Amino acid sequence: PELAFRSAAGDSDARVIALNEAVVLADPAVVPFVQSLLADEVKVAAGKAYLVRGSQVSVAGSTPVQVAPALPEGAEDVVNNNRMRTEIDSALAALNLFNPDAAERLKSVQALIQEPDASRTQVLMRARQKETLPDLQRWMDLALASILLDDERTSTRIQAARTLGDWSQATSV
């Protein structure tokens, strides 16, 4: 619940940090909350985030789910500016790397390739270790390489460029 609140309340920088902490957990239970954030179904009040779907209200991040009888007085809508929407989309892509559906995992890794983000390295590496399909493993390697092109270490950047070059050669044959 505390992490859900921090992901929903405060300035964008603090929210992004909390959202990234949630993504690194790679917990499938985080996905519905992040989807609710994107769908503007989250409100905050009294140091908690609440999921509001129709007339159903629950405390975000509670396990087991705590159904609230009603929203607390003074509950505020969570406002997502363009930056937050981009971050939330990226978070969903990273979390969907663990989706049981291979097609969904592929869409997620391709989205991460389009927007390389160093904050996704850890979750991408965890997903890569769990992935059993060779094609998806290669896509994840490509996503990691696209992120590591900006690494501060020269040797890491060179290896990333080689990985991308090998991919390019393999796909142009």
Side-chain angles (χ1 to χ4, degrees):
E2 182 266 336
L3 191 54
F5 176 73
R6 288 191 302 118
S7 297
D11 67 27
S12 293
D13 290 338
R15 289 180 63 199
V16 167
I17 289 168
L19 188 60
N20 287 338
E21 288 176 33
V23 169
V24 168
L25 295 174
D27 183 347
V30 174
V31 173
F33 170 71
V34 176
Q35 290 170 329
S36 292
L37 262 179
L38 194 59
D40 297 325
E41 298 173 333
V42 179
K43 298 192 183 299
V44 292
K48 292 183 181 176
Y50 295 88
L51 301 179
V52 181
R53 292 189 179 123
S55 62
Q56 184 180 0
V57 178
S58 60
V59 177
S62 60
T63 307
V65 174
Q66 297 174 2
V67 176
L71 275 172
E73 189 108 4
E76 298 177 8
D77 291 333
V78 173
V79 177
N80 295 312
N81 59 25
N82 288 342
R83 175 184 177 210
M84 279 309 302
R85 289 194 177 280
T86 299
E87 292 289 343
I88 294 168
D89 282 337
S90 174
L92 277 174
L95 290 165
N96 276 326
L97 292 171
F98 300 93
N99 191 305
D101 183 351
E104 287 299 314
R105 292 194 309 275
L106 178 60
K107 282 196 299 192
S108 292
V109 75
Q110 288 172 333
L112 291 173
I113 289 169
Q114 295 299 313
E115 298 285 336
D117 181 347
S119 70
R120 304 294 178 235
T121 304
Q122 191 175 3
V123 72
L124 190 53
M125 289 172 68
R126 187 177 300 153
R128 172 60 174 88
Q129 288 174 339
K130 289 185 170 197
E131 186 55 60
T132 58
L133 299 175
D135 285 344
L136 278 169
Q137 290 172 341
R138 285 190 291 277
W139 277 101
M140 290 179 185
D141 290 343
L142 180 63
L144 281 168
S146 65
I147 291 170
L148 294 175
L149 279 176
D150 287 333
D151 195 88
E152 62 187 30
R153 297 167 298 209
T154 304
S155 61
T156 301
R157 288 193 312 271
I158 290 170
Q159 183 56 47
R162 283 187 180 132
T163 299
L164 292 170
D166 291 346
W167 176 272
S168 176
Q169 288 179 338
T171 57
S172 66
V173 174

